[in-house]
Structures are given as C-alpha cells and as structure tokens.
Amino acid sequence: MSLLAVEGITVRFGGLVALSDVSLTVAEGTIHGLIGPNGAGKSTLFNVVSRFVQPAAGQVLFDGRELLRLPPHAVGGLGIARTFQNVLLCQRLTVLDNVLTGLHRSLPVSFWGAALRLPAAMRAEEHARARALEALEWVGLRPWAHRRVSELPFGAQKRVELARALVSRPRLLLLDEPAAGLAEGDRRQMAALIARLQRELGTTVVMVEHDLGLVMDLCQEVTVLDFGRVIAQGPPAAVRRDPTVIAAYIGREAGAAGGPDGTLGGQDRGEQACSS
Ligand SMILES: Nc1ncnc2c1ncn2[C@@H]1O[C@H](COP(=O)(O)OP(=O)(O)OP(=O)(O)O)[C@@H](O)[C@H]1O
C-alpha cells in the first residue's frame, strides 16, 4: 500500500513551469529515489509535499489524507519530516538544542507552562531531551550533544540534520541530497544510516540525490524528473539503462553521463558535483 501518492502536481513560478503534471507513489517501508539534472524540479516537489509551496494543480495523499487541504504547520504532526539541501542548523546553539527544534511543534507545552516551570512542562521537556539524545545516539553523535554545532565537521553536521528530522519519529522522511558535499567516509556512513532507517525503524524514505551510486545502492524505486516532468519510473536497474534518462543527463551537460556500458554509472555529473 502506498504511504505517499503525488497526483498530477503542477507548480508555476511566474512564467516558469517547475513541475508539470507530476505523479508518483511511494510504498510504505521503501526507499524511493528522486533524481534528475539540475533544475529538474526535485526540490520543488519536496517543497510541495512539505507544504512550503502550493501547487497550481494536483493533490498529495499521505496515508490516504489530502495534504494540500491541511495548513502547512500540520504536516509535521502527521509524521512527515525533512532535511534540506544546504545544512540549516543554528551554528551557535548546541547539537542537542538543534535536535530539540525538530520536536518543538509536537511538545504539549504552553508558553505559561514553560515560563512558570510547571511540573507538566518540566516532564515534557525531560521527555523531549531523552528523545533528542536517543536520536543523537542513533546517528553516532551522542558524545557531541553539548558542543556547539559550529565545532563539528561538515559530515557530522549533516548527521545532526538527520537526527533533527528523526527525533519526531516520522513515518515519511524526505532527504534532500543527504550525501552532498560529503567525503567518502562520511558518505558511506550516511548510506549505512539510511539503510538502517529502513531496516530497523521501518521509515519510508524519499531521497533526492545527485550521487547516483548511492541511489542505485539504496533505493527500491526511482523516479526521474527532467524539466519538471517525469521521464522514467521503476527499479534502479531499469531506470539507469533507460535511453530517455541517459539522454536527459547527456543533453543537459554534454559528456557528463554515460559509463562504458552506456548506463548512468561512474561519470554522472552528480558525482562530479559531489566531489567538487
Ligand atoms: N521560489 C522559486 N521562484 C522561482 N523559480 C524557482 C523557485 N524555486 C525553484 N525555481 C525554479 O524551478 C525550477 C526547478 O527548481 P528545483 O530547485 O526544484 O530543481 P532541482 O531539480 O531541485 O535542482 P537542483 O538539483 O539544482 O537542486 C528551476 O528552474 C528553478 O530555478
């Protein structure tokens, strides 16, 4: 059964059609890759699902509920969390405080309850701290909990972002380029964490990623966008050999795609972008 169903989504920014009649379904418990050349519309689709962008047409069903009828702030409460393409953490705060921001909408604490340090508010805060520390343990950063984010190397900061998304225990996690900018060791660590998310927590993941090796290794299903349209969908092995997909990558940046067997492996521009 599909946890997420995107149906006929169209997004326009002025005269630019960023998404045109885009549909895809994501089965519960799977890792779904969303790939495509730069400007294809991948982040815009994430922004629609997380309610940052209102589409001109279409609907988004999450566990059968129409998301676009709900106010944007309700999305987190339904069990959807996301990370961002660029690390969006407060560098001056501690790692723990950053992770706690992933819970602020679900804490049942009133302003006065917190200000007056009422017992119920204190219990809720303790519970939130325990959850945040658990999320940090999960990504291997528990010992860094009380350090400022600015003290952590970039690869660790990406894992803080992951912990902040995980702390609310989402059913659906949207990962926007989780491996972007990571050195090889950090990339392997991130890949292992995403695989564990699926295996141990049963989290459904949709992942935008230019690192096609990672997508092919982790995803059970892949959707390819180009110029705002879906040009291919299916298991990774089939998608990587799809002539339309290969042409889209080659056409948008001559010479950037195509392994020796005519697949997308090896020299795709995403891998170039990650190593730069
Ligand atoms: N807020 C906005 N206002 C105007 N145009 C936008 C806006 N957001 C995105 N776009 C445009 O919509 C198109 C799709 O952008 P989007 O960021 O979704 O692509 P992408 O596939 O995520 O690209 P990348 O891989 O480079 O991150 C691009 O042409 C982009 O310039």
Side-chain angles (χ1 to χ4, degrees), residues 178-249:
L182 294 183
E184 183 52 28
D186 288 325
R187 175 191 174 278
R188 273 202 305 271
Q189 198 171 10
M190 181 61 78
L193 280 173
I194 297 168
R196 271 182 66 205
L197 270 177
Q198 177 184 37
R199 198 172 58 242
E200 294 176 15
L201 305 181
T203 312
T204 305
V205 176
V206 183
M207 183 170 88
V208 166
E209 186 50 68
H210 282 293
D211 181 337
L212 298 184
L214 198 79
V215 172
M216 299 299 156
D217 284 350
L218 290 175
C219 298
Q220 286 82 57
E221 192 80 6
V222 177
T223 296
V224 190
L225 290 176
D226 192 24
F227 290 115
R229 293 182 176 277
V230 174
I231 59 165
Q233 255 169 358
V239 161
R240 69 183 296 158
R241 287 181 173 75
D242 187 318
T244 319
V245 177
I246 295 167
Y249 274 81

Coordinates of all heavy atoms in Angstrom, one line a residue, residues 178-249:
P178 N 21.2 14.0 0.9 CA 21.9 13.7 2.1 C 23.4 13.5 2.0 O 24.1 13.7 3.0 CB 21.2 12.4 2.5 CG 20.7 11.8 1.3 CD 20.3 13.0 0.5
A179 N 23.9 13.2 0.8 CA 25.3 12.9 0.6 C 26.1 14.1 0.0 O 27.3 14.0 -0.2 CB 25.5 11.7 -0.2
A180 N 25.4 15.2 -0.3 CA 26.0 16.3 -1.0 C 27.2 16.9 -0.2 O 27.0 17.2 1.0 CB 25.0 17.4 -1.3
G181 N 28.3 17.0 -0.8 CA 29.5 17.6 -0.2 C 30.2 16.7 0.8 O 31.2 17.1 1.4
L182 N 29.8 15.4 0.9 CA 30.4 14.6 1.9 C 31.7 13.9 1.3 O 31.7 13.4 0.2 CB 29.5 13.5 2.4 CG 28.2 13.9 3.2 CD1 27.4 12.7 3.6 CD2 28.7 14.8 4.4
A183 N 32.7 13.8 2.2 CA 33.9 13.0 1.8 C 33.5 11.5 1.8 O 32.4 11.1 2.4 CB 35.0 13.2 2.8
E184 N 34.3 10.6 1.2 CA 33.9 9.2 1.0 C 33.5 8.5 2.3 O 32.5 7.8 2.4 CB 35.1 8.5 0.3 CG 34.8 7.0 0.0 CD 33.4 6.8 -0.8 OE1 33.0 7.7 -1.5 OE2 32.8 5.7 -0.6
G185 N 34.3 8.7 3.4 CA 34.0 8.0 4.7 C 32.6 8.5 5.2 O 31.8 7.7 5.7
D186 N 32.4 9.8 5.2 CA 31.1 10.3 5.7 C 29.9 9.8 4.8 O 28.8 9.6 5.2 CB 31.1 11.9 5.7 CG 32.0 12.4 6.8 OD1 32.0 11.8 7.8 OD2 32.6 13.4 6.6
R187 N 30.2 9.8 3.5 CA 29.2 9.3 2.5 C 28.8 7.9 2.8 O 27.6 7.5 2.9 CB 29.8 9.4 1.1 CG 28.9 8.8 0.0 CD 29.6 8.7 -1.3 NE 28.9 8.1 -2.3 CZ 28.8 6.8 -2.5 NH1 29.4 6.0 -1.6 NH2 28.1 6.2 -3.4
R188 N 29.8 7.0 3.1 CA 29.5 5.6 3.5 C 28.7 5.5 4.7 O 27.7 4.7 4.9 CB 30.8 4.8 3.6 CG 31.3 4.2 2.3 CD 32.2 3.1 2.5 NE 33.3 3.4 3.4 CZ 34.5 3.9 3.0 NH1 34.7 4.1 1.7 NH2 35.4 4.2 3.9
Q189 N 29.1 6.4 5.7 CA 28.4 6.4 7.0 C 26.9 6.8 6.8 O 26.0 6.2 7.4 CB 29.1 7.4 7.9 CG 28.7 7.2 9.4 CD 29.6 8.0 10.3 OE1 30.4 8.9 9.8 NE2 29.6 7.8 11.6
M190 N 26.7 7.8 6.0 CA 25.3 8.3 5.7 C 24.5 7.2 5.0 O 23.3 7.0 5.4 CB 25.4 9.6 4.9 CG 24.0 10.2 4.5 SD 23.1 10.7 6.0 CE 23.9 12.3 6.4
A191 N 25.1 6.6 4.1 CA 24.4 5.5 3.3 C 24.0 4.4 4.3 O 22.9 3.9 4.2 CB 25.3 4.9 2.2
A192 N 24.9 4.0 5.2 CA 24.6 3.0 6.2 C 23.4 3.4 7.1 O 22.6 2.6 7.4 CB 25.8 2.6 7.0
L193 N 23.4 4.7 7.5 CA 22.4 5.2 8.4 C 21.0 5.1 7.6 O 20.0 4.7 8.2 CB 22.6 6.6 8.8 CG 23.6 6.8 9.9 CD1 23.9 8.3 10.1 CD2 23.1 6.2 11.2
I194 N 21.0 5.5 6.4 CA 19.7 5.5 5.6 C 19.2 4.0 5.5 O 18.0 3.8 5.6 CB 19.9 6.2 4.2 CG1 20.3 7.6 4.4 CG2 18.6 6.0 3.4 CD1 20.7 8.3 3.2
A195 N 20.1 3.1 5.2 CA 19.7 1.7 5.1 C 19.2 1.2 6.5 O 18.2 0.5 6.5 CB 20.9 0.9 4.7
R196 N 19.8 1.6 7.6 CA 19.3 1.2 8.9 C 18.0 1.8 9.2 O 17.1 1.2 9.9 CB 20.3 1.7 10.0 CG 21.4 0.7 10.3 CD 22.3 1.3 11.4 NE 21.6 1.3 12.7 CZ 22.0 2.2 13.6 NH1 23.0 3.0 13.5 NH2 21.3 2.2 14.8
L197 N 17.7 3.0 8.7 CA 16.4 3.7 8.9 C 15.3 2.8 8.4 O 14.3 2.6 9.1 CB 16.4 5.0 8.1 CG 16.8 6.3 8.7 CD1 16.7 7.4 7.7 CD2 15.9 6.6 9.9
Q198 N 15.6 2.3 7.3 CA 14.5 1.4 6.6 C 14.5 0.1 7.4 O 13.4 -0.4 7.8 CB 14.9 1.1 5.2 CG 13.9 0.2 4.5 CD 14.4 -0.1 3.1 OE1 15.6 -0.3 2.8 NE2 13.4 -0.3 2.2
R199 N 15.6 -0.5 7.7 CA 15.7 -1.9 8.2 C 15.2 -1.9 9.7 O 14.4 -2.8 10.0 CB 17.1 -2.4 8.2 CG 17.3 -3.8 8.3 CD 18.8 -4.2 8.0 NE 19.7 -3.6 8.8 CZ 20.7 -2.8 8.4 NH1 20.8 -2.5 7.1 NH2 21.6 -2.2 9.3
E200 N 15.7 -1.0 10.5 CA 15.4 -1.0 11.9 C 14.2 -0.2 12.4 O 13.5 -0.6 13.3 CB 16.6 -0.6 12.7 CG 17.8 -1.5 12.5 CD 19.1 -1.0 13.3 OE1 19.0 -0.1 14.1 OE2 20.1 -1.5 12.9
L201 N 14.0 0.9 11.7 CA 12.8 1.8 12.1 C 11.6 1.7 11.2 O 10.6 2.2 11.5 CB 13.3 3.2 12.2 CG 14.5 3.5 13.1 CD1 14.8 5.0 13.1 CD2 14.3 3.0 14.5
G202 N 11.8 1.0 10.1 CA 10.7 0.9 9.1 C 10.3 2.2 8.5 O 9.2 2.3 8.0
T203 N 11.2 3.2 8.5 CA 10.8 4.5 8.0 C 10.8 4.5 6.5 O 11.6 3.8 5.8 CB 11.9 5.6 8.4 OG1 12.2 5.4 9.8 CG2 11.5 7.0 8.1
T204 N 9.8 5.1 5.9 CA 9.7 5.3 4.5 C 10.5 6.5 4.1 O 10.4 7.6 4.7 CB 8.2 5.5 4.0 OG1 7.4 4.4 4.6 CG2 8.1 5.6 2.5
V205 N 11.4 6.4 3.1 CA 12.3 7.5 2.7 C 12.1 7.9 1.3 O 12.0 7.0 0.4 CB 13.7 7.1 3.0 CG1 14.7 8.2 2.5 CG2 14.0 6.7 4.4
V206 N 12.0 9.2 1.0 CA 12.1 9.7 -0.3 C 13.4 10.5 -0.4 O 13.6 11.4 0.5 CB 10.9 10.5 -0.8 CG1 11.1 10.9 -2.3 CG2 9.6 9.8 -0.7
M207 N 14.3 10.2 -1.3 CA 15.6 10.8 -1.3 C 15.9 11.5 -2.6 O 15.9 10.8 -3.7 CB 16.6 9.6 -1.0 CG 18.0 10.0 -0.9 SD 18.9 8.5 -0.3 CE 19.3 7.7 -1.9
V208 N 16.2 12.8 -2.6 CA 16.7 13.5 -3.7 C 18.2 13.4 -3.6 O 18.8 13.7 -2.6 CB 16.3 15.0 -3.7 CG1 17.2 15.8 -4.7 CG2 14.8 15.1 -4.0
E209 N 18.9 12.9 -4.7 CA 20.3 12.8 -4.6 C 21.0 12.8 -6.0 O 20.5 12.1 -6.9 CB 20.6 11.4 -3.8 CG 22.0 11.2 -3.5 CD 22.8 12.3 -2.8 OE1 22.4 12.6 -1.7 OE2 23.6 12.9 -3.5
H210 N 22.1 13.5 -6.1 CA 22.8 13.5 -7.4 C 23.8 12.4 -7.4 O 24.3 12.0 -8.5 CB 23.6 14.8 -7.5 CG 22.7 16.0 -8.0 ND1 22.1 16.0 -9.2 CD2 22.3 17.1 -7.3 CE1 21.4 17.1 -9.3 NE2 21.5 17.8 -8.2
D211 N 24.1 11.8 -6.3 CA 25.1 10.7 -6.2 C 24.3 9.4 -6.6 O 23.7 8.8 -5.8 CB 25.6 10.6 -4.8 CG 26.6 9.4 -4.6 OD1 26.6 8.5 -5.4 OD2 27.4 9.5 -3.7
L212 N 24.4 9.1 -7.9 CA 23.6 8.1 -8.4 C 24.0 6.7 -7.9 O 23.2 5.8 -7.8 CB 23.6 8.1 -10.0 CG 23.0 9.4 -10.6 CD1 23.0 9.3 -12.1 CD2 21.6 9.6 -10.1
G213 N 25.3 6.6 -7.6 CA 25.7 5.3 -7.0 C 24.9 5.0 -5.7 O 24.5 3.9 -5.5
L214 N 24.8 6.0 -4.9 CA 24.0 5.9 -3.6 C 22.6 5.5 -3.9 O 22.0 4.7 -3.3 CB 24.1 7.2 -2.9 CG 23.8 7.2 -1.4 CD1 25.0 6.7 -0.6 CD2 23.5 8.6 -0.9
V215 N 22.0 6.2 -4.9 CA 20.6 6.0 -5.2 C 20.4 4.5 -5.7 O 19.5 3.8 -5.3 CB 20.1 6.9 -6.3 CG1 18.8 6.6 -6.9 CG2 20.1 8.4 -5.8
M216 N 21.3 4.1 -6.5 CA 21.2 2.7 -7.1 C 21.4 1.7 -5.9 O 20.8 0.6 -5.9 CB 22.3 2.5 -8.2 CG 22.1 3.4 -9.4 SD 20.5 3.2 -10.2 CE 20.3 4.8 -11.0
D217 N 22.3 2.0 -5.0 CA 22.5 1.0 -3.9 C 21.3 1.0 -2.9 O 21.0 -0.1 -2.4 CB 23.8 1.4 -3.1 CG 25.0 1.1 -3.8 OD1 24.9 0.4 -4.9 OD2 26.1 1.6 -3.4
L218 N 20.7 2.1 -2.6 CA 19.8 2.1 -1.5 C 18.3 2.0 -1.9 O 17.5 1.5 -1.1 CB 19.9 3.5 -0.7 CG 21.2 3.7 0.1 CD1 21.2 5.1 0.6 CD2 21.3 2.6 1.2
C219 N 18.0 2.5 -3.1 CA 16.5 2.7 -3.5 C 15.9 1.4 -4.1 O 16.6 0.7 -4.9 CB 16.4 3.9 -4.4 SG 16.9 5.4 -3.7
Q220 N 14.7 1.2 -3.7 CA 13.9 0.1 -4.4 C 13.2 0.6 -5.6 O 12.9 -0.1 -6.5 CB 12.9 -0.5 -3.4 CG 13.5 -1.4 -2.3 CD 14.0 -0.5 -1.2 OE1 13.2 0.2 -0.6 NE2 15.2 -0.7 -0.8
E221 N 13.0 1.9 -5.7 CA 12.2 2.5 -6.8 C 12.8 3.9 -7.0 O 13.2 4.6 -6.1 CB 10.7 2.6 -6.3 CG 9.7 3.0 -7.4 CD 9.3 1.8 -8.2 OE1 9.8 0.6 -7.9 OE2 8.6 2.0 -9.2
V222 N 12.8 4.3 -8.3 CA 13.4 5.6 -8.6 C 12.4 6.3 -9.6 O 11.9 5.7 -10.5 CB 14.8 5.4 -9.3 CG1 15.3 6.8 -9.8 CG2 15.8 4.7 -8.4
T223 N 12.3 7.6 -9.4 CA 11.5 8.5 -10.3 C 12.5 9.5 -10.9 O 13.3 10.1 -10.1 CB 10.4 9.2 -9.6 OG1 9.4 8.3 -9.1 CG2 9.7 10.2 -10.5
V224 N 12.5 9.7 -12.2 CA 13.4 10.6 -12.8 C 12.6 11.8 -13.3 O 11.6 11.6 -14.1 CB 14.2 10.0 -14.0 CG1 15.3 10.9 -14.4 CG2 14.7 8.6 -13.6
L225 N 13.0 13.0 -12.9 CA 12.4 14.2 -13.4 C 13.4 14.9 -14.4 O 14.6 14.9 -14.2 CB 12.1 15.2 -12.3 CG 11.0 14.9 -11.3 CD1 11.0 16.0 -10.2 CD2 9.7 14.8 -11.9
D226 N 12.8 15.6 -15.4 CA 13.6 16.4 -16.3 C 12.7 17.6 -16.8 O 11.5 17.3 -17.2 CB 14.1 15.6 -17.5 CG 15.2 16.4 -18.3 OD1 15.8 17.3 -17.7 OD2 15.3 16.2 -19.5
F227 N 13.1 18.8 -16.6 CA 12.3 20.0 -17.0 C 10.9 19.9 -16.4 O 9.9 20.1 -17.0 CB 12.2 20.1 -18.5 CG 13.5 20.6 -19.1 CD1 14.2 19.7 -20.0 CD2 14.1 21.8 -18.8 CE1 15.4 20.1 -20.5 CE2 15.3 22.2 -19.3 CZ 16.0 21.4 -20.2
G228 N 10.8 19.4 -15.1 CA 9.5 19.4 -14.4 C 8.6 18.3 -14.8 O 7.5 18.2 -14.3
R229 N 9.1 17.4 -15.6 CA 8.2 16.2 -16.0 C 8.8 14.9 -15.6 O 10.1 14.8 -15.6 CB 8.0 16.2 -17.5 CG 7.2 17.3 -18.1 CD 7.0 17.2 -19.6 NE 6.2 18.3 -20.1 CZ 4.9 18.3 -20.0 NH1 4.2 17.2 -19.6 NH2 4.2 19.3 -20.5
V230 N 8.0 13.9 -15.3 CA 8.5 12.6 -15.0 C 8.9 11.9 -16.3 O 8.0 11.8 -17.2 CB 7.4 11.7 -14.3 CG1 7.9 10.3 -14.1 CG2 7.1 12.3 -12.9
I231 N 10.2 11.5 -16.5 CA 10.6 10.9 -17.7 C 10.8 9.4 -17.6 O 10.9 8.7 -18.5 CB 11.8 11.6 -18.4 CG1 13.0 11.5 -17.4 CG2 11.5 13.0 -18.8 CD1 14.3 11.8 -18.1
A232 N 10.9 8.9 -16.3 CA 11.1 7.5 -16.1 C 10.7 7.2 -14.7 O 10.9 8.0 -13.8 CB 12.5 7.0 -16.4
Q233 N 10.3 5.9 -14.5 CA 10.0 5.4 -13.1 C 10.2 4.0 -13.1 O 9.9 3.3 -14.1 CB 8.5 5.7 -12.8 CG 8.4 6.9 -11.8 CD 6.9 7.3 -11.6 OE1 6.0 6.8 -12.3 NE2 6.7 8.3 -10.7
G234 N 10.7 3.4 -12.0 CA 10.9 2.0 -11.9 C 12.0 1.6 -11.0 O 12.6 2.5 -10.3
P235 N 12.4 0.3 -11.0 CA 13.5 -0.1 -10.2 C 14.8 0.5 -10.7 O 14.9 0.8 -11.9 CB 13.5 -1.6 -10.4 CG 12.2 -2.0 -11.0 CD 11.7 -0.8 -11.7
P236 N 15.8 0.7 -9.9 CA 17.0 1.4 -10.3 C 17.7 0.8 -11.5 O 18.2 1.5 -12.4 CB 17.9 1.4 -9.1 CG 17.1 0.9 -7.9 CD 15.8 0.4 -8.4
A237 N 17.8 -0.5 -11.5 CA 18.5 -1.2 -12.6 C 17.9 -0.9 -14.0 O 18.6 -0.7 -15.0 CB 18.5 -2.7 -12.4
A238 N 16.5 -0.8 -14.0 CA 15.8 -0.5 -15.3 C 16.0 1.0 -15.6 O 16.3 1.4 -16.8 CB 14.4 -0.8 -15.1
V239 N 15.9 1.9 -14.6 CA 16.0 3.3 -14.9 C 17.4 3.7 -15.4 O 17.5 4.5 -16.3 CB 15.7 4.1 -13.5 CG1 16.2 5.5 -13.6 CG2 14.2 4.0 -13.3
R240 N 18.4 3.1 -14.8 CA 19.8 3.5 -15.3 C 20.1 3.1 -16.7 O 21.0 3.6 -17.3 CB 20.8 3.0 -14.3 CG 21.0 1.5 -14.3 CD 22.0 1.0 -13.3 NE 23.4 1.6 -13.6 CZ 24.3 1.7 -12.7 NH1 24.1 1.4 -11.4 NH2 25.5 2.2 -13.0
R241 N 19.3 2.2 -17.2 CA 19.5 1.8 -18.6 C 18.5 2.4 -19.6 O 18.5 2.2 -20.8 CB 19.5 0.3 -18.8 CG 20.7 -0.3 -18.2 CD 20.7 -1.8 -18.3 NE 22.0 -2.3 -17.9 CZ 22.4 -2.4 -16.6 NH1 21.6 -2.1 -15.6 NH2 23.6 -2.8 -16.3
D242 N 17.6 3.3 -19.0 CA 16.5 3.9 -19.9 C 17.2 4.9 -20.8 O 17.8 5.9 -20.3 CB 15.5 4.5 -18.9 CG 14.3 5.0 -19.7 OD1 14.5 5.6 -20.7 OD2 13.2 4.8 -19.1
P243 N 17.0 4.8 -22.1 CA 17.6 5.7 -23.0 C 17.2 7.2 -22.8 O 18.0 8.1 -23.0 CB 17.2 5.2 -24.4 CG 16.7 3.8 -24.2 CD 16.3 3.7 -22.8
T244 N 15.9 7.3 -22.4 CA 15.4 8.7 -22.2 C 16.2 9.4 -21.0 O 16.5 10.6 -21.1 CB 13.9 8.7 -21.8 OG1 13.3 7.7 -22.6 CG2 13.3 10.0 -22.0
V245 N 16.5 8.6 -20.0 CA 17.2 9.1 -18.8 C 18.6 9.4 -19.2 O 19.1 10.5 -18.9 CB 17.1 8.0 -17.7 CG1 17.9 8.5 -16.5 CG2 15.7 7.8 -17.3
I246 N 19.2 8.5 -19.9 CA 20.6 8.7 -20.3 C 20.7 10.0 -21.2 O 21.6 10.9 -21.0 CB 21.2 7.5 -21.1 CG1 21.3 6.3 -20.1 CG2 22.6 7.8 -21.7 CD1 21.5 5.0 -20.8
A247 N 19.7 10.1 -22.1 CA 19.7 11.3 -23.0 C 19.5 12.6 -22.2 O 20.1 13.6 -22.5 CB 18.6 11.2 -24.0
A248 N 18.7 12.5 -21.2 CA 18.4 13.7 -20.4 C 19.7 14.2 -19.7 O 20.0 15.4 -19.7 CB 17.3 13.5 -19.3
Y249 N 20.4 13.3 -19.1 CA 21.7 13.6 -18.4 C 22.7 14.1 -19.4 O 23.4 15.1 -19.2 CB 22.2 12.5 -17.6 CG 21.6 12.4 -16.2 CD1 20.3 11.8 -16.0 CD2 22.3 12.9 -15.1 CE1 19.8 11.8 -14.8 CE2 21.7 12.9 -13.8 CZ 20.4 12.3 -13.7 OH 19.9 12.3 -12.4

